[in-house]
Amino acid sequence: MTDTPAPRPEPPVRLEDPARPEHMPSAEHPPRPEHMPRAERPRRLMRTRRSERRGGPAAGAPAIGAVLAVIAVATVSLNLRPGATSLGPLLEDVVAFHGQGGLAMGLLTALPCLAFGVLGALAVPISKRVGLTGTVVASLVLAVAGLLLRPQASTFVMFTLLSLLALVGPALGNVIVPAWIKQYGGRRTVALMTLYSTLLGVGGASGSAFAVPLITDEALGWQDSLRFWGLLAVVPVVVWTIVLARTGHDFPPDAAQGELRTSVLRSPTAVALTAMFGLQSMNAYTQFGLLPQILTQGGMSAADAGLVTGSVAAWGILGGLVMPTVIERSHHLPLIALGMGLLTAAGYIGLILAPAAGALLWASVLGVGGFAFPTAIALIPARSRDPLVTARLSGMVQPVGYLIAAAGSITAGVVLDATGSARTMLTMMAVTGLALGVVGFRAARPAFVDDEMGCAARS
């Protein structure tokens, strides 16, 4: 009798478990490292996660030491405003030296806003070619040349052109420095933005405060006063040249996602932030230019009017110190931004009712309302994720905003001259304060420009 071999058992039929996702670990598909228990993760992944928690620079960006980053931001922010603000107290001497009159004075007063708007629009295209750091270095070199040469200008036309050259650094730096901080700040971004916005105010106030004390003699001492800021601006040139040696060409790479190539104008947050920046800047430049005149018409001495106007700038320094942290931590930022607009309107109404008696109080109210400026500056990196989007957002918000500011300031001056009534002009400015609150409420909502651009691209 022959033994018949037992039949070989059929392999069990594998039934697909519809409840098991395709990525769930199995014998054929081991778990991905990030899904493994912490103790079993590869060392390389563990090191990567720790690096991400530390919050270094953006992907692909070279590391910049904390000390060098702080020195770079501090030196450039202190030097972005004195070239513009140091001219105001000396304007009458400059215009008289060149034999000009009121038209020339108005042109030089409007020049910073116009330069920040027109030249600022070139910041992103230029930085694509030479990098973020390279753009800062090149613009500072041009600014130093303009600041040192313009006191020696023999004609008013040459003085104006050299003043425009001196404004290249601030115009490009306004746009690029926030994007640079986003690129290299990591977890230090809020601290660096606080430093930037605070020292921006300190530099602006210093330019106007020290303009007259720096005059060396009665005749042409204003030339030495203006020249001083060119010598001071050499310091950030040296610092940023050291930074450039470490970074090389550092413009953020083009995003792989198509949605990040969508126009920033398709982001409601970006549009609202641009309007917020423009309205606040218009109010600030109108206050600095016309508030002394309004106060003196109300019976205040010129010296006291200057001190009251200076207090508005002093409040701006405090705003730069606190608002970046408020933006990071507050859950009620839209209401805070709305309140800034309401305070701005209230300050103008107070000046209508009691222009001299309560001047310091109303200037303080306007100063707190002016916290909208450091808020708008800090929202540029806070409402964007990708450094490229930050650069593009800054390249829209600030140039367009400054053009709005220039047009609004000129309009306010025309209204004041045409009507001869401070009440009419202040009423118009109170309305812009209310508008500032509305757009500020929308700009401060917790939304990212990157996400809104993505939604627009997919729609």
Side-chain angles (χ1 to χ4, degrees):
M1 184 175 178
T2 306
D3 292 334
T4 304
R8 178 176 298 175
E10 295 292 332
V13 178
R14 180 180 177 187
L15 298 176
E16 296 292 336
D17 183 359
R20 176 191 294 271
E22 292 183 1
H23 66 270
M24 183 173 288
S26 65
E28 290 83 4
H29 302 283
R32 295 171 60 185
E34 56 265 38
H35 296 154
M36 295 172 64
R38 182 176 179 85
E40 300 176 12
R41 294 181 186 178
R43 290 181 177 270
R44 182 177 179 183
L45 182 68
M46 298 281 287
R47 287 194 298 268
T48 302
R49 290 290 183 263
R50 284 194 293 268
S51 175
E52 290 175 357
R53 286 197 300 272
R54 284 195 296 267
I64 299 294
V67 174
L68 182 57
V70 167
I71 295 174
V73 172
T75 54
V76 73
S77 55
L78 279 171
N79 283 275
L80 287 181
R81 288 293 179 269
T85 61
S86 62
L87 184 58
L90 309 174
L91 203 54
E92 291 186 6
D93 292 335
V94 172
V95 170
F97 175 80
H98 290 288
Q100 302 295 315
L103 180 61
M105 191 175 295
L107 174 61
L108 291 177
T109 301
L111 194 61
C113 274
L114 295 173
F116 292 166
V118 176
L119 296 177
L122 303 175
V124 174
I126 292 174
S127 61
K128 284 183 179 179
R129 298 184 65 87
V130 301
L132 298 177
T133 307
T135 300
V136 174
V137 173
S139 64
L140 286 173
V141 169
L142 293 176
V144 168
L147 290 170
L148 292 177
L149 293 175
R150 74 172 175 176
Q152 304 303 123
S154 58
T155 65
F156 179 75
V157 172
M158 183 59 66
F159 184 90
T160 303
L161 292 176
L162 289 172
S163 294
L164 187 62
L165 184 64
L167 292 170
V168 170
L172 301 185
N174 287 338
V175 175
I176 298 302
V177 174
W180 188 93
I181 291 174
K182 184 72 173 182
Q183 175 98 326
Y184 295 105
R187 292 182 63 181
R188 299 188 298 267
T189 296
V190 172
L192 290 175
M193 282 304 301
T194 301
L195 180 69
Y196 171 69
S197 55
T198 301
L199 294 185
L200 200 65
V202 171
S206 299
S208 56
F210 291 107
V212 174
L214 286 171
I215 294 177
T216 56
D217 59 58
E218 292 292 334
L220 299 178
W222 59 267
Q223 294 181 337
D224 294 328
S225 178
L226 291 178
R227 193 179 296 111
F228 170 81
W229 304 106
L231 297 174
L232 189 64
V234 173
V235 176
V237 172
V238 174
V239 173
W240 280 78
T241 300
I242 295 172
V243 176
L244 180 60
R246 298 192 179 192
T247 63
H249 186 283
D250 57 351
F251 189 80
D254 288 336
Q257 302 94 332
E259 58 262 25
L260 295 190
R261 300 191 182 98
T262 304
S263 171
V264 182
L265 284 170
R266 301 188 68 181
S267 164
T269 298
V271 174
L273 187 54
T274 302
M276 178 186 182
F277 187 91
L279 287 170
Q280 200 289 320
S281 298
M282 178 185 73
N283 277 274
Y285 280 93
T286 300
Q287 290 163 17
F288 296 149
L290 299 180
L291 186 56
Q293 179 180 346
I294 293 170
L295 293 175
T296 53
Q297 288 178 355
M300 183 177 287
S301 69
D304 289 343
L307 290 175
V308 170
T309 304
S311 70
V312 177
W315 280 104
I317 296 172
L318 178 61
L321 188 62
V322 301
M323 286 314 300
T325 301
V326 171
I327 289 171
E328 183 188 34
R329 299 181 181 180
S330 175
H331 300 292
H332 306 288
L333 189 61
L335 293 177
I336 294 174
L338 175 62
M340 294 172 187
L342 295 177
L343 285 173
T344 300
Y348 290 123
I349 294 172
L351 287 172
I352 293 174
L353 299 177
L360 188 59
L361 171 62
W362 307 130
S364 297
V365 172
L366 289 173
V368 178
F371 282 18
F373 176 75
T375 300
I377 289 290
L379 280 174
I380 293 173
R383 290 295 179 263
S384 54
R385 289 193 178 98
D386 191 288
L388 177 60
V389 175
T390 305
R392 294 177 59 193
L393 178 61
S394 186
M396 181 181 84
V397 167
Q398 300 202 59
V400 176
Y402 278 119
L403 289 177
I404 294 173
S409 299
I410 293 171
T411 301
V414 169
V415 169
L416 184 61
D417 288 340
T419 63
S421 169
R423 179 182 293 268
T424 303
M425 191 274 287
L426 290 172
T427 301
M428 181 191 79
M429 297 307 298
V431 173
T432 68
L434 296 176
L436 171 63
V438 172
V439 296
F441 182 89
R442 175 60 187 85
R445 288 176 55 187
F448 284 93
V449 173
D450 313 56
D451 299 338
E452 293 176 345
M453 292 168 62
C455 291
R458 292 188 292 269
S459 62

